[in-house]
């Protein structure tokens, strides 16, 4: 498995409140997480860093067994995100300057062509295959609720004045519900995890074209996605994590 992990503060913000991490365990499992923090007075970057650290610490210990099953993997992802919620909520509760801080999370556990995705908020996971690009996660946002109920269209959602209102986040409440998704990742497929600094600026079609670009390494593709977001305005912090099977990536231009 090869990976790319890139983040940029953007053109407007002074602090990068996004955090990300990718790691590979001795048993062949690859772990990845993107967290997009929120809260005033630098609380957002505290929330996202706490969440990433909690996820990493727990999964590096508990997912390292040789024969981890899919069911165990789903349970561990859920437990890690619930624990991240506990840690962030506790810190916010005990420190006035961190009151009401929180973070989104999209996290992945990959082993032997099987993906498990854990998700809270509006950071996203996409699967990019020969057939196109598919969003694996569903945004926990007010605008998405309005779209699902038929009150507004997808086109209206893209420009809605409250499109950044999140309905579920890590650390803002004592309890949190975690969405779990599973998918297969074949040799030529790429998993993309990102914060909304990418998806609010770059279209699905642009993401697809960039990741499917022949002759570009995975790091270059991640860099190009960041640059596309910056060129479109860079209104927010932007973070991109890409995962691809090593064998496919080293066939050069054959990964489309």
């Amino acid at each position: 498995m090869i990976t790319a992990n890139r983040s940029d503060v953007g053109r407007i913000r002074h602090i990068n409140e996004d955090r990300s991490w990718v790691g590979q365990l001795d048993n062949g499992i690859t772990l990845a997480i993107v967290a997009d923090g929120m809260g005033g007075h630098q609380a957002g970057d505290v929330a996202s860093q706490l969440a990433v650290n909690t996820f990493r610490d727990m999964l590096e210990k508990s997912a390292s067994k040789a024969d981890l099953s899919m069911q165990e993997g789903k349970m561990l992802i859920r437990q890690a995100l619930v624990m991240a919620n506990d840690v962030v909520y506790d810190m916010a509760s005990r420190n006035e300057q961190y009151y009401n801080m929180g973070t989104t999370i999209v996290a992945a556990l990959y082993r032997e062509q099987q993906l498990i995705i854990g998700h809270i908020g509006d950071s996203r996971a996409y699967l990019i295959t020969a057939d196109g690009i598919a969003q694996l996660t569903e945004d926990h946002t007010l605008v998405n609720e309005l779209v699902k109920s038929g009150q507004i269209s997808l086109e209206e959602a893209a420009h809605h004045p409250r499109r950044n209102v999140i309905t579920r986040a890590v650390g803002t409440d004592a309890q949190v519900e975690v969405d779990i998704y599973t998918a297969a990742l074949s040799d030529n497929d790429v998993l993309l995890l990102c914060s909304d600094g990418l998806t609010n600026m770059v279209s699905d079609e642009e993401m697809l074209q960039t990741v499917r670009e022949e002759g570009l390494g995975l790091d270059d593709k991640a860099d190009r996605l960041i640059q596309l977001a910056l060129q479109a305005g860079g209104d927010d912090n932007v973070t991109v994590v890409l995962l691809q099977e090593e064998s496919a990536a080293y066939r050069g231009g054959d990964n489309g």
Side-chain angles (χ1 to χ4, degrees):
M1 174 64 63
I2 60 166
T3 63
N5 181 8
R6 295 287 187 274
S7 189
D8 194 280
V9 70
R11 299 195 183 280
I12 308 296
R13 305 291 179 90
H14 298 295
I15 296 168
N16 193 345
E17 296 184 322
D18 288 0
R19 294 292 185 272
S20 57
W21 172 76
V22 181
Q24 300 185 56
L25 307 182
D26 291 340
N27 61 355
I29 284 177
T30 299
L31 300 165
I33 182 171
V34 169
D36 179 357
M38 57 200 182
H41 308 296
Q42 301 184 32
D45 57 328
V46 173
S48 56
Q49 189 67 62
L50 278 173
V52 168
N53 290 349
T54 303
F55 174 87
R56 176 179 182 171
D57 291 346
M58 181 182 165
L59 268 297
E60 282 186 328
K61 293 186 183 83
S62 54
S64 58
K65 59 181 287 190
D67 55 347
L68 189 78
S69 69
M70 282 289 285
Q71 202 57 41
E72 288 173 316
K74 288 192 279 188
M75 181 187 69
L76 288 176
I77 286 265
R78 190 183 304 277
Q79 288 177 343
L81 300 200
V82 168
M83 186 177 294
N85 186 77
D86 292 344
V87 170
V88 177
Y89 182 77
D90 180 64
M91 176 73 83
S93 302
R94 290 187 291 107
N95 296 271
E96 188 176 332
Q97 72 267 35
Y98 298 145
Y99 175 72
N100 214 31
M101 73 175 175
T103 183
T104 70
I105 285 183
V106 61
L109 184 155
Y110 171 81
R111 186 184 185 196
E112 295 175 353
Q113 298 198 324
Q114 293 296 313
L115 278 170
I116 302 168
I117 306 292
H119 176 245
I120 301 165
D122 65 350
S123 294
R124 293 179 180 176
Y126 288 89
L127 186 59
I128 296 165
T129 70
D131 296 326
I133 182 169
Q135 184 178 332
L136 300 178
T137 52
E138 184 176 300
D139 293 348
H140 301 136
T141 59
L142 173 63
V143 161
N144 192 45
E145 294 298 326
L146 295 174
V147 170
K148 289 194 319 187
S149 64
Q151 295 180 59
I152 63 172
S153 68
L154 279 172
E155 291 73 23
E156 289 170 322
H159 306 287
H160 197 280
R162 302 189 70 193
R163 65 183 180 277
N164 293 323
V165 176
I166 296 174
T167 55
R168 201 191 303 178
V170 171
T172 54
D173 295 288
Q175 307 291 326
V176 72
E177 183 183 351
V178 181
D179 285 356
I180 301 290
Y181 305 87
T182 58
L185 186 74
S186 301
D187 270 2
N188 290 314
D189 302 342
V190 175
L191 177 70
L192 163 62
L193 306 181
C194 60
S195 61
D196 68 343
L198 180 72
T199 53
N200 285 341
M201 296 283 114
V202 181
S203 70
D204 287 9
E205 184 60 34
E206 288 175 303
M207 289 190 273
L208 175 63
Q209 289 177 355
T210 302
V211 174
R212 296 276 299 280
E213 181 80 31
E214 294 185 0
L216 274 187
L218 210 61
D219 284 333
D220 294 329
K221 292 174 181 179
D223 287 334
R224 185 169 293 185
L225 288 169
I226 297 280
Q227 288 305 312
L228 285 172
L230 296 178
Q231 289 163 14
D235 291 354
D236 199 355
N237 311 143
V238 54
T239 298
V240 170
V241 169
L242 299 174
L243 276 65
Q244 184 179 28
E245 275 288 4
E246 197 167 10
S247 57
Y250 282 111
R251 287 200 292 267
D254 188 35
N255 64 347

